[in-house]
Amino acid sequence: MSTNDARNRAVTMKDVAAHAGVSRTAVSLVLNGRHDVTLASETRARVLQAAADLGYRPNAGARALAQQRSDWYGLVTEIVTAPFAVEVIKGAQDRASSDGKYLLIASTESDPVAESAAIERLLEQRVEGLIYAATWHRAVNVPEIAREVPTVLVNCFDAEGRYPAVVPDERTGGRRAAERLLAAGHRRIGFVNLDPGIPAAVGRREGFHAALREAGVEPDDLLEISGHATAHGGFDAAAELLELREPPTAIFCANDRMAMGAYDAIKERGLRIPRDIAVIGFDNQELISAYLRPALTTIALPFEQMGSVGVDLLAETTAGESTDTKIVTVDCPLLERSSV
């Protein structure tokens, strides 16, 4: 068979054997990397040259069936185009590729039916394990079908505690925000929080309060308002704080969108950031935090690192090195800019 004919259809090991003038067994040994069997170096060279001439590529599906492993992980997330999802995917892919693994990515668009179907399709591709990633930190109910392979959760945790998970260290993040403002000399600090009860709101508030108390400052309920995670909510909450008889000299917003709204409320009153009032955010939504004027000092959610740690946990689980359903927290660092 000519090289051109071979390239017009899938090239088999039989084709390579005929082109090289050797047995199919010899081709299989060479192309599967078997060095535990004695084979003349000249034969190995002829097989490799024939494979290159014909454009041979291994059948990944057949190899997965034979070896019961595919070198693929599946990653399921709600919206793959969301900025935070992109960072999780990058961290997971970079870490996986360093181990010779690859990601198959499925988007569910927050549809439970699509979620189960996506996991089913990934399992059909014989993925070795699954990473289930959420766009915001919360308890989730993972489809039962995911139990067929090792599964690790990222930026979420299983309501029933059946899976290992990687989540941001919300409490330390809240502490860092408060410590930065305290270090700048502020003692009357407003706090615009997320909706009550969600893990991020609880953890960030706990860390914020702990840092205040360690500095001898008792948290004041009058200085805490929910901004419902939106710019409009941040504007309204900051405006309310600034109308107090003793307004705060600094405001900690539990996400950057609320900080953007707070900026507008502050500037509307003729105040200057950070000279008259300091502002600190959370999340590091870079299109917001880096381009506000002045640029926003914020606490970063470590999405890329969570993706990487998620792959580490999955590798441990698929290798049988760990069966723990532990929750691993990843540090949320302070990103210093110009608003404090």
Side-chain angles (χ1 to χ4, degrees), residues 132-195:
Y132 181 103
T135 52
W136 57 280
H137 183 188
R138 66 187 189 276
V140 294
N141 292 304
V142 182
E144 188 67 21
I145 192 173
R147 292 178 66 82
E148 293 185 17
V149 293
T151 297
V152 171
L153 312 187
V154 171
N155 201 35
C156 55
F157 55 93
D158 175 32
E160 298 181 22
R162 298 176 298 173
Y163 301 97
V166 183
V167 298
D169 189 347
E170 309 280 11
R171 195 175 191 277
T172 298
R175 172 187 288 275
R176 283 218 171 95
E179 288 174 344
R180 177 65 185 92
L181 294 171
L182 289 163
H186 299 282
R187 291 297 180 270
R188 190 163 176 79
I189 303 171
F191 181 29
V192 181
N193 202 0
L194 305 164
D195 287 319

Side-chain angles (χ1 to χ4, degrees), residues 61-84:
R63 184 173 60 186
L65 283 169
Q67 299 178 350
Q68 292 298 301
R69 57 192 296 272
S70 64
D71 290 333
W72 289 92
Y73 293 146
L75 188 149
V76 182
T77 190
E78 296 148 309
I79 305 171
V80 296
T81 55
F84 294 155

